[in-house]
Amino acid sequence: MTQHLDPRSPWVISTHDLGKRPGTMRQMTLSLPAPADLGVDMIGVPKDAEVELDLRLEAVMEGVLVSGTAQAPLAGECARCLDPVTSDVEVNLQELFFYSDEDASEEDSLLDGELLDLEPTFRDAVVLALPLSPVCGDDCEGLCAECGIKLAEAGADHRHEKIDARWASLQGLISENDNDQEK
């Protein structure tokens, strides 16, 4: 059974005015709420954040070609120090929505009557554009691997005493002997 698109969904766009006349075109500027769960572990587009779309819909022989750009805010955390990170992402979109599955392969997008769903195209483009390890700044030093303090706040003299594991068992003997001599 084919699932039909909901024309009330914000990411579903009608192509009715294009008809099936190759060469007809329409420009659109939209502001849509971001879909849920759009991101990777460290960063993503917050749900319902405003996504700005600048699109061009063109009727071609096989279907409707959608091209344009999308801009969205990003929120996440720095991969080095775990501080909050915010920025923006801009992606290019281009997808051909076929009129019928006879012309399309399994991975291709299809029109549902005169409707197309732009969300999967947008989602794919954004996830591919996201940084895998976002940082709050190029100079971020991260956290101390020993104690977890933020290195930028710890100062240049932040150090931990390192004891060679081969001598670690002797460490207790030194302090015990010192105590014995004091008696």
Side-chain angles (χ1 to χ4, degrees):
M1 181 172 156
T2 312
Q3 182 181 356
H4 290 288
L5 298 177
D6 181 357
R8 295 167 299 191
S9 171
W11 288 88
V12 173
I13 297 171
S14 172
T15 62
H16 175 76
D17 57 334
L18 297 176
K20 288 189 176 183
R21 298 181 309 275
T24 56
M25 183 189 75
R26 177 174 82 198
Q27 299 273 110
M28 300 177 74
T29 303
L30 300 169
S31 183
L32 301 177
D37 302 321
L38 180 54
V40 292
D41 289 342
M42 300 294 285
I43 196 163
V45 179
K47 181 182 183 318
D48 293 330
E50 194 170 285
V51 177
E52 299 293 329
L53 296 158
D54 188 13
L55 302 173
R56 181 171 135 165
L57 280 64
E58 292 178 81
V60 294
M61 292 298 284
E62 302 87 7
V64 175
L65 177 65
V66 178
S67 54
T69 59
Q71 291 180 315
L74 295 177
E77 55 188 28
C78 176
R80 295 181 190 161
C81 70
L82 304 178
D83 276 356
V85 173
T86 57
S87 65
D88 293 303
V89 66
E90 181 171 340
V91 293
N92 292 317
L93 305 174
Q94 185 160 8
E95 186 80 24
L96 178 58
F97 291 84
F98 286 88
Y99 291 126
S100 73
D101 54 7
E102 295 167 6
D103 300 327
S105 71
E106 236 178 80
E107 300 85 39
D108 289 331
S109 300
L110 289 173
L111 285 165
D112 179 6
E114 295 177 332
L115 302 176
L116 61 85
D117 185 2
L118 201 54
E119 182 184 329
T121 303
F122 171 70
R123 184 178 291 278
D124 291 348
V126 168
V127 170
L128 289 174
L130 292 176
L132 293 177
S133 296
V135 290
C136 58
D138 291 337
D139 59 345
C140 178
E141 298 176 45
L143 303 175
C144 174
E146 298 281 324
C147 65
I149 191 170
K150 207 169 163 186
L151 291 174
E153 295 169 0
D157 59 343
H158 181 76
R159 304 218 190 308
H160 294 277
E161 187 179 325
K162 291 192 177 16
I163 299 169
D164 189 325
R166 296 172 291 181
W167 298 102
S169 60
L170 297 177
Q171 188 68 23
L173 296 176
I174 294 170
S175 58
E176 288 174 16
N177 288 336
D178 290 343
N179 289 340
D180 290 343
Q181 290 174 358
E182 290 174 10
K183 290 181 184 173

